[in-house]
Amino acid sequence: KAMNENQTPVILGTLRAIGRRGDAFAAKLTPSGPPRGVVRALDFPDRRVQWAALQATVNMPVAPPPVISTRVSVPATMHPRGCGQWCV
C-alpha cells in the first residue's frame, strides 16, 4: 500500500526491517502477476528505496544447499613429509 501511495519513509523503514530480519519470503518472485515486495521496490522511482531494497536483498539468506552437495569426498594423499604413508 505504501508503494502505491508513494510513502517513501514508510517504504524505507519496511525495507530496512526486512533486511535486518533476513526475510527471504519478502523477495520471492510470483509466477504470475506484477512483482511484489522487495522486487517491486528495486524498480521504485526513488533511488533511496532502490538502495534499501538492494541492501535488504543482500542481507537475505541464500537457500541451503542440498544434502548431496554437503558430502565432500576427500581423496587420499601422500603424507607431506614424504614418508610414503597414505593419509585421509
Side-chain angles (χ1 to χ4, degrees):
K1 182 175 176 178
M3 284 194 212
N4 292 336
E5 297 174 1
N6 291 328
Q7 296 180 355
T8 303
V10 175
I11 299 168
L12 290 172
T14 303
L15 288 171
R16 288 181 186 130
I18 289 171
R20 279 193 304 266
R21 190 171 164 207
D23 188 7
F25 184 73
K28 277 195 168 184
L29 291 172
T30 56
S32 62
R36 302 180 321 184
V38 177
V39 177
R40 182 173 171 204
L42 288 169
D43 196 31
F44 198 77
D46 191 329
R47 289 185 187 264
R48 295 173 296 169
V49 172
Q50 294 173 3
W51 181 249
L54 179 66
Q55 288 179 325
T57 305
V58 168
N59 290 332
M60 290 184 187
V62 294
V67 176
I68 193 77
S69 68
T70 59
R71 296 180 186 158
V72 178
S73 62
V74 179
T77 58
M78 291 298 288
H79 194 274
R81 287 186 238 150
C83 62
Q85 297 176 351
W86 288 98
C87 303
V88 177

